[in-house]
Amino acid sequence: GKGSYEHYMKKEIHEQSRAIQDCLRGRVDPETNHILLEELAELDLPATVQLVACGTSYHAARYGARLLREHGIAAQTFLASEYRAETVPVDEETLVIGVTQSGETADTMRALREANGAGAVTLALTNTVGSSAARECDHVCYIRAGPEIGVAATKTFASQQVALALVTGVLAETAEPAFLQGLAELPAQIQTVLENSQAQALADAYVDSDAYFFIGREYTAPVALEGALKMKEITYKHAEGFAAGELKHGPLALVTERTPVFALLTEGSRLEKTLGNVKEVQARGAPVIAVTDAPQTVERYVDHVLEVPSTHPYLTPILANIQLQLASYWLANRLGRSIDKPRNLAKSVTVE
Ligand code: M6R
C-alpha cells in the first residue's frame, strides 16, 4: 500500500534511493573496478546499438544512447512506434535494446519482434520478470526498481538510467573510477535531494501559469523532455521540453511572464551556454527556476534554485530529474489532480 504517503507517486519518488541500491547490488566489483552484469555474460559485443522505447522510457533511452556514443559505440534512439527494422540497417551485429518498464508496451513489443525477425540481437531492459519483452528478447537486464503503481513513471526512470549506464560499462568494457565512485554515492545523494528539496514552494507561486517550459543540454536534454512529460501527465497543464539551443528556433515565441522556465544548469552540461538561454527568456519576463549543482554561479541570474549535489556529469541528470518530479507532483497536488491515475492514461499501453 501507500503507507503514510498521500499518493503512490510520492511514495515511489521517495523510493528512488532504495531502487538505485537494488539496481546496483552485486553489479559493480569494487576490487577490480568492473561492472558485472551476469545477465549479459553471453552477449557478444555489437557493432551498433539501437534503442527503442516510448514515453518516459524513450527519455531514458536518449540518455543511454548519448552515454554509449560517448564511449565510442554507435547508438541511435527510436520512438518504438516509428521504428521499422526494414528502414534502418539491422543485422546480426546490431543490438536492439527495448527499454520498457512494464515489458508489455505494444509499440515496443512490435519493434522488438521486427528486430528479432531481421536477425538483430535483442535485449529487454525491463522492470518486470517474465514480461512479454523479457520473453521475446535474446537477453534481459532487470532494472530492479520494484513495483511501480503510479501511472507516472518515476523510480523506474531513475533505475533505467542507472541500468543503461551499467550496460554502457559492459559494452565499452571499461568504467571510469570517478563514475563508479559516483554510482556508489548516488543513493545517499538522492536522499539528500529528497530531504532538502524546495520544490513544494513553487506550486503556490506558479499554479496559475499558462505553460511550463523545460530546457536542458547534452546530458540534461532528455531530462528536460521528461520534466515536461511528467508535468503535462499529472497536472493537465501545457508543458514543453526542449534542448536549450532550440529555444530561439521557435519556442521562444511562446515565452511570456506567465510561462515559468525550468532550466537545467549543471556543470558538465554546458552551463554557460544554457545561462545564455536563461537570459533570453528572462528578457521576455519569464520566471526562471534553476536546477543546479552550482548555486553560487547561477543564483544571481534566476528566480529560484533547486539544488542537487555535485557528482559525475553522467549522473547529474538522475538527481536533477528528481527535483522536476517533485515540482510536478506538488503542482498537481495543489491542483487536486488524480495524481496516481491521470485521466485518459493507462499504466501499460497494450495497443499500438
Ligand atoms: O512500460 P513502458 O516503460 O514501456 O511504458 C512506456 C510509456 O508508456 C510510459 O513511460 C509513459 O510514458 C509513462 N506513463 C510516463 O510517465
Side-chain angles (χ1 to χ4, degrees):
K2 291 184 294 218
S4 57
Y5 290 99
E6 196 180 341
H7 298 98
Y8 279 106
M9 183 183 180
K10 185 155 184 234
K11 174 171 182 267
E12 289 157 2
I13 289 172
H14 282 265
E15 282 171 351
Q16 289 179 106
S17 174
R18 160 69 47 186
I20 297 310
Q21 274 173 13
D22 289 344
C23 184
L24 291 173
R25 182 159 301 118
R27 288 172 163 179
V28 180
D29 182 346
E31 306 275 295
T32 62
N33 268 347
H34 263 82
I35 292 173
L36 314 161
L37 283 178
E38 268 170 32
E39 300 112 301
L40 302 190
E42 305 294 312
L43 179 75
D44 291 327
L45 292 182
T48 58
V49 178
Q50 297 171 356
L51 298 101
V52 296
C54 306
T56 291
S57 296
Y58 174 73
H59 301 147
R62 290 269 293 253
Y63 163 85
R66 175 174 276 275
L67 206 56
L68 286 161
R69 288 194 297 266
E70 192 141 315
H71 286 79
I73 299 163
Q76 273 179 288
T77 318
F78 297 85
L79 287 167
S81 58
E82 292 287 317
Y83 183 81
R84 287 258 92 90
E86 71 215 23
T87 63
V88 282
V90 179
D91 61 24
E92 53 287 350
E93 293 208 77
T94 312
L95 175 66
V96 178
I97 306 180
V99 183
T100 168
Q101 179 285 124
S102 63
E104 302 299 343
T105 301
D107 289 314
T108 309
M109 285 309 301
R110 186 206 43 79
L112 287 171
R113 279 189 208 104
E114 273 193 29
N116 266 336
V121 177
T122 50
L123 165 64
L125 196 94
T126 184
N127 200 28
T128 316
V129 176
S131 56
S132 300
R135 284 180 281 122
E136 174 71 25
C137 291
D138 304 313
H139 304 271
V140 54
C141 173
Y142 291 109
I143 65 169
R144 304 182 183 162
E148 188 176 70
I149 308 298
V151 164
T154 53
K155 63 176 178 171
T156 55
F157 180 65
S159 300
Q160 285 168 338
Q161 289 173 296
V162 168
L164 284 165
L166 296 176
V167 168
T168 300
V170 169
L171 297 183
E173 298 183 289
T174 158
E176 265 177 77
F179 171 64
L180 295 177
Q181 178 70 24
L183 279 178
E185 289 167 4
L186 190 59
Q189 291 188 323
I190 290 173
Q191 207 51 42
T192 301
V193 173
L194 291 169
E195 283 165 21
N196 301 306
S197 176
Q198 305 291 311
Q200 186 172 3
L202 300 173
D204 284 329
Y206 298 118
V207 67
D208 292 324
S209 300
D210 290 343
Y212 305 86
F213 297 132
F214 296 78
I215 57 173
R217 231 173 237 282
E218 301 196 347
Y219 278 100
T220 60
V223 172
L225 303 182
E226 173 60 10
L229 176 61
K230 216 90 308 175
M231 185 67 92
K232 64 186 84 156
E233 192 174 21
I234 62 168
T235 68
Y236 312 157
K237 303 259 288 185
H238 177 212
E240 288 190 60
F242 318 105
E246 277 298 287
L247 201 58
K248 56 175 125 17
H249 299 288
L252 197 53
L254 298 174
V255 170
T256 70
E257 66 284 353
R258 297 185 48 81
T259 63
V261 176
F262 289 85
L264 296 150
L265 291 164
T266 60
E267 305 274 14
S269 284
R270 298 202 191 265
L271 188 155
E272 331 68 47
K273 280 208 172 188
T274 310
L275 263 183
N277 305 115
V278 162
K279 288 175 191 156
E280 291 164 0
V281 300
Q282 276 182 329
R284 277 84 187 169
V288 176
I289 303 118
V291 181
T292 186
D293 54 2
Q296 271 93 353
T297 313
V298 310
E299 65 197 353
R300 62 180 176 279
Y301 300 107
V302 302
D303 300 278
H304 307 268
V305 169
L306 298 175
E307 191 176 346
V308 295
S310 294
T311 180
H312 192 284
Y314 298 167
L315 300 173
T316 309
I318 300 172
L319 297 174
N321 185 60
I322 293 172
Q323 291 285 19
L324 299 185
Q325 291 171 344
L326 289 166
S328 291
Y329 173 81
W330 287 116
L331 205 80
N333 189 299
R334 175 80 169 65
L335 289 164
R337 299 296 191 231
S338 167
I339 292 181
D340 287 333
K341 280 185 189 296
R343 69 185 182 200
N344 308 340
L345 300 176
K347 182 66 181 164
S348 140
V349 183
T350 52
V351 289
E352 277 188 44

